[in-house]
Amino acid sequence: MSASTPPPPPQPLPLPRATVARLEAVLSIGAHLIPHPRKAASGGEDAFFANSDAGGVFAIADGVSGWAEKNVNPALFSRELMRNSSNFLNDEALQVSHDPQILLMKAHAATSSIGSATVIIAMLEKTGTLKIASVGDCGLKVIRKGQVMFSISPQEHYFDCPYQISSEAEGQTYKDALVCSVNLMEGDIIVSGSDGLFDNIFDQEIVSIISESPSVDEAAKALAELARKHSVDVRFDSPYSMEARSRGFDVPWWKKLLGGKLIGGKMDDITVVVAQVKTVVVPEDEVQGGDTEEQKGNEQGAAAVVAYKMNDEEVA
């Protein structure tokens, strides 16, 4: 009987490729604009843009209406400033630095229209840090777990005369911007807008609408519509009327004797941007070899560390 051929030795199975991943912060953005009732046909003088790529960036510009007295369309400056801001996002240096003040500098320098505008630009880094540059009285608030935990202050020369980026030499520039940053957590809501929003709506109303809205798009629309409703209500004691009284602007003394006071909303263009912070898992690298289960455990541990750091940061 002939000897049988021994079977070949077992071959090792190829190891699967394990993907190394990281967590990155991104913004889901919604926006809504309602022009001043008397400027609805022209679209108003506010302008904005929003982009969710590379984390997320948005900006709002509020054209200064006083230019209309000089036969200048105030909307041209704000719209060109926003268009230039959006175009410069592809600038290589900005993609690295994520610096809204530099973006404002470049956009302003490229704007040739006559006019001026208040402006705010916010850029989210992948680490969860929101960088902000603001000139004037466009506002921004961060809502966390049903509370306003961060808010920027307006810049003004005097009441109702905010700082503004201008085509004129005597106006403000990017150097005058209020620059700040805040470390965000997943689930945080950012509410930003022109003064037409914050002059006509209180913080508790903002928080209430955010809590009731199923999406950022619907939240932005609901906030804008409530602000518009308040703006035309002559009996609504708005944030604007309360601020005016605190600065000494009120009805004549004889009306005060009769119990009167300065009240009412402020009709204006209303622009609202609502953004929610989310985290996404992004494949970073692929490695071959080693113990697959051990690698998987290491990857999960690394992701957990990132998530913990993002969720444990405090306001800058």
Side-chain angles (χ1 to χ4, degrees):
M1 186 170 121
S2 61
S4 62
T5 304
Q11 298 295 318
L13 297 174
L15 291 173
R17 298 177 68 86
T19 301
V20 178
R22 66 183 185 275
L23 291 181
E24 291 184 357
V26 297
L27 290 179
S28 174
I29 305 174
H32 199 77
L33 189 157
I34 300 178
H36 188 294
R38 293 194 293 269
K39 303 171 186 176
S42 63
E45 296 157 1
D46 282 4
F48 73 92
F49 83 87
N51 189 322
S52 294
D53 293 341
V57 55
F58 60 83
I60 300 168
D62 181 353
V64 176
S65 59
W67 284 95
E69 299 172 3
K70 301 180 181 180
N71 294 319
V72 173
N73 182 353
L76 298 180
F77 184 89
S78 58
R79 291 172 185 173
E80 185 182 359
L81 184 66
M82 290 294 92
R83 184 166 59 251
N84 290 335
S85 299
S86 179
N87 291 339
F88 275 112
L89 286 179
N90 295 322
D91 183 273
E92 184 175 347
L94 277 166
Q95 289 183 340
V96 174
S97 68
H98 282 78
D99 190 333
Q101 191 177 25
I102 299 302
L103 178 57
L104 178 58
M105 176 194 70
K106 290 178 175 290
H108 186 202
T111 300
S112 59
S113 297
I114 297 174
S116 58
T118 62
V119 59
I120 186 169
I121 302 177
M123 306 180 77
L124 182 70
E125 292 188 322
K126 296 175 181 179
T127 57
T129 298
L130 185 72
K131 293 182 175 180
I132 306 159
S134 176
V135 177
D137 58 1
C138 290
L140 183 147
K141 298 177 184 292
V142 176
I143 299 171
R144 177 179 297 166
K145 297 179 180 179
Q147 294 185 335
V148 176
M149 49 76 66
F150 177 84
S151 182
I152 65 170
S153 301
Q155 298 168 299
E156 59 181 18
H157 300 287
Y158 49 86
F159 181 67
D160 239 6
C161 183
Y163 281 21
Q164 52 201 260
I165 292 288
S166 175
S167 59
E168 306 299 300
E170 62 268 21
Q172 280 70 57
T173 72
Y174 73 99
K175 295 180 180 179
D176 300 297
L178 171 66
V179 178
C180 56
S181 64
V182 56
N183 296 320
L184 301 180
M185 295 168 43
E186 183 171 13
D188 283 352
I189 302 290
I190 305 161
V191 176
S192 188
S194 58
D195 63 330
L197 171 68
F198 296 107
D199 280 344
N200 290 297
I201 194 167
F202 290 98
D203 282 1
Q204 60 266 33
E205 294 176 304
I206 294 175
V207 171
S208 177
I209 286 178
I210 291 299
S211 66
E212 296 170 358
S213 300
S215 70
V216 290
D217 291 306
E218 294 189 38
K221 182 179 180 181
L223 286 169
E225 289 180 342
L226 181 59
R228 183 208 59 79
K229 178 182 177 182
H230 287 336
S231 73
V232 298
D233 186 349
V234 296
R235 296 186 178 182
F236 176 64
D237 198 6
S238 65
Y240 176 81
S241 60
M242 294 176 66
E243 178 70 13
R245 293 198 305 271
S246 73
R247 301 290 191 94
F249 298 89
D250 209 337
V251 297
W253 65 269
W254 57 270
K255 285 189 177 181
K256 286 186 179 181
L257 292 176
L258 297 174
K261 65 178 181 180
L262 178 67
I263 60 172
K266 182 189 178 188
M267 287 195 295
D268 203 348
D269 296 324
I270 299 167
T271 298
V272 184
V273 173
V274 177
Q276 184 173 29
V277 181
K278 298 183 177 182
T279 55
V280 295
V281 179
V282 179
E284 186 178 57
D285 193 11
E286 286 191 345
V287 295
Q288 174 109 35
D291 185 281
T292 304
E293 288 301 319
E294 181 180 354
Q295 288 171 350
K296 182 178 179 181
N298 289 339
E299 291 158 19
Q300 291 175 339
V305 170
V306 176
Y308 172 79
K309 287 182 178 179
M310 290 188 62
N311 289 311
D312 196 47
E313 292 287 355
E314 297 297 330
V315 180

